[in-house]
Amino acid sequence: MAQLTKRQLFSLTASAAFLTSLPRAHAAPGSQPVLELALNENPFGPSPKAEQALAAQLKNANRYGDALSADQFVEQVARFENVAPEQIILGEILELLGLFLAARAPVGGNIVYSSPGYMALVDAGKPAGLTGVGVPLDASLKNDLPELAKAITPQTKALYLVNPHNPSGTVSAPAEFEKFLRDISRKTLVIVDEAYLEYGTSVRSAVSLTRQGENVAVFRTFDKIYGLAGLPIGYLVAPRSLATALRDAGFGNPHGLGRLAISAASAALTDQHWVRSVHSRIAAGRTRLTQTLDSLKLKHTDSEANFVFFQSPKPVADVREQFAKLGIVIARPFAPLNDWLRISVGTEAEVTRVISALKEIFAT
């Protein structure tokens, strides 16, 4: 049986811990269900094509993923990204990538990253001697490119960036970001996590640099806009030398991916109409939420992800408890930004509930 990834474990434990902490009498006022808006899931679910593919494969759920279907999926992803199939490594592999980098000669070294940020890759390498070098976000809570550049040393194994960023939702200006990545990739490997790319409006994929032969690897996932968080699967678009080394180390094994995840992701990738539809609906919900934050004079980032991130004038623990009493689960604080809160964008009806809660909590 494939082990749960750190991303999955975090999602499960965070949800379970906070849901069990909800006051029972107030967990779901009236007949309204508890809203889980802490983990940035797609509230509209996967494409109907993905659902059909899953239904067709259920009879084969007793079988491991096979090499043929995995190879066909790799070729499909490669066509989508316009790279060679040899450059695609399947899997939710950030944690394994952290271990791989830590073990790569010379053993140890460091990973430079933006702080706060998604820590799966960095944390996974720590037991094997990898050190994390966190660089604070800039005043706009964006990746601080000049300071990140200064943090690179001969001991740096990779620079790891999330764009759009998590938890701030901010993006780097495309031209500036591309020049930065090109320059830094001549000093060290750059890994760009684009989990939220499809939700953005002014962001471009860094895969263009990988195509050009730069030392840039890009992680993409089907967990977010494709709605497959329950069957986690992603892929890395890697420079050829890195892809070869990862494949030789056993990355992308179809048995560990599972045929259901491969089938669902393959079908989901063909339905870009669904992706555009989800993008539009999330963007509309995000706009409604930010307009509400503005009306309440709550400082927030310019998020281009499927969540909003704002500064609370009230104690965060109290605010989260108030949301909980209204049946809404929101994200934990992200140190050192302990007075900021992240709320995922839900369906239109869920956004309406959040807006009502924001007004109830912050209008007084």
Side-chain angles (χ1 to χ4, degrees):
M1 180 181 292
Q3 292 184 333
L4 289 173
T5 67
K6 190 169 290 184
R7 187 188 292 265
Q8 291 171 272
L9 286 171
F10 170 79
S11 297
L12 289 170
T13 55
S15 297
F18 196 68
L19 283 171
T20 54
S21 73
L22 293 176
R24 288 186 180 275
H26 304 285
S31 59
Q32 295 186 97
V34 171
L35 297 188
E36 169 53 81
L37 300 178
L39 302 176
N40 304 333
E41 296 148 327
N42 173 357
F44 303 108
S47 156
K49 292 184 179 180
E51 293 179 351
Q52 292 166 9
L54 277 173
Q57 276 293 334
L58 280 176
K59 62 181 181 295
N60 298 317
N62 60 315
R63 303 294 183 185
Y64 289 112
D66 64 279
L68 177 60
S69 61
D71 288 345
Q72 291 172 340
F73 184 41
V74 164
E75 291 176 1
Q76 179 187 3
V77 171
R79 289 192 300 272
F80 181 78
E81 297 289 2
N82 194 24
V83 299
E86 293 76 21
Q87 292 181 264
I88 302 297
I89 305 294
L90 296 181
E92 285 280 336
I93 64 173
L94 288 177
E95 294 86 352
L96 291 175
L97 188 55
L99 287 170
F100 174 86
L101 292 173
R104 207 174 193 188
V107 174
N110 66 62
I111 298 284
V112 175
Y113 66 96
S114 289
S115 177
Y118 183 68
M119 295 294 293
L121 184 150
V122 178
D123 288 346
K126 287 180 179 178
L130 196 67
T131 301
V133 178
V135 175
L137 299 171
D138 67 15
S140 299
L141 299 189
K142 296 181 179 180
N143 290 311
D144 193 331
L145 305 186
E147 293 301 315
L148 287 161
K150 292 178 185 177
I152 304 296
T153 70
Q155 288 71 48
T156 301
K157 292 284 186 74
L159 169 66
Y160 172 62
L161 295 175
V162 185
N163 191 50
H165 188 70
N166 180 22
S168 70
T170 57
V171 303
S172 300
E176 180 185 8
F177 194 56
E178 180 175 330
K179 182 181 184 303
F180 170 80
L181 296 181
R182 194 183 301 275
D183 292 343
I184 297 300
S185 69
R186 291 165 185 163
K187 301 176 182 178
T188 190
L189 170 67
V190 179
I191 303 167
V192 184
D193 185 339
E194 295 182 347
Y196 301 96
L197 181 86
E198 295 88 352
Y199 290 115
T201 56
S202 65
V203 61
R204 293 201 300 261
S205 175
V207 169
S208 60
L209 293 172
T210 315
R211 287 190 208 107
Q212 297 169 31
E214 303 291 354
N215 195 24
V216 175
V218 179
F219 175 74
R220 309 288 298 279
T221 182
F222 291 87
D223 293 6
K224 301 301 180 183
I225 204 165
Y226 288 98
L228 293 176
L231 287 171
I233 184 170
Y235 60 88
L236 189 74
V237 185
R240 289 178 182 272
S241 59
L242 176 61
T244 298
L246 292 172
R247 193 171 287 106
D248 289 346
F251 283 56
N253 185 325
H255 286 182
L257 298 172
R259 66 174 56 237
L260 295 181
I262 291 174
S263 296
S266 177
L269 191 60
T270 68
D271 197 349
Q272 291 303 307
H273 173 76
W274 179 258
V275 171
R276 291 189 293 271
S277 172
V278 172
H279 167 95
S280 296
R281 296 176 75 179
I282 290 293
R286 187 176 62 218
T287 297
R288 291 176 63 201
L289 288 171
T290 54
Q291 287 174 344
T292 301
L293 295 174
D294 288 336
S295 72
L296 295 169
K297 295 181 170 37
L298 296 172
K299 182 180 179 181
H300 61 85
T301 62
D302 294 325
S303 175
E304 292 198 22
N306 65 330
F307 51 83
V308 293
F309 194 58
F310 68 96
Q311 191 171 30
S312 172
K314 297 183 177 183
V316 163
D318 293 344
V319 172
R320 294 182 75 220
E321 178 65 17
Q322 286 180 278
F323 270 106
K325 288 180 178 179
L326 296 171
I328 303 172
V329 181
I330 64 174
R332 61 175 175 81
F334 296 86
L337 302 178
N338 293 315
D339 57 345
W340 286 73
L341 290 166
R342 191 189 73 189
I343 304 179
S344 305
V345 180
T347 65
E348 291 82 358
E350 291 170 350
V351 168
T352 297
R353 276 184 65 183
V354 172
I355 289 172
S356 295
L358 286 168
K359 291 178 178 179
E360 180 175 335
I361 294 168
F362 290 106
T364 56

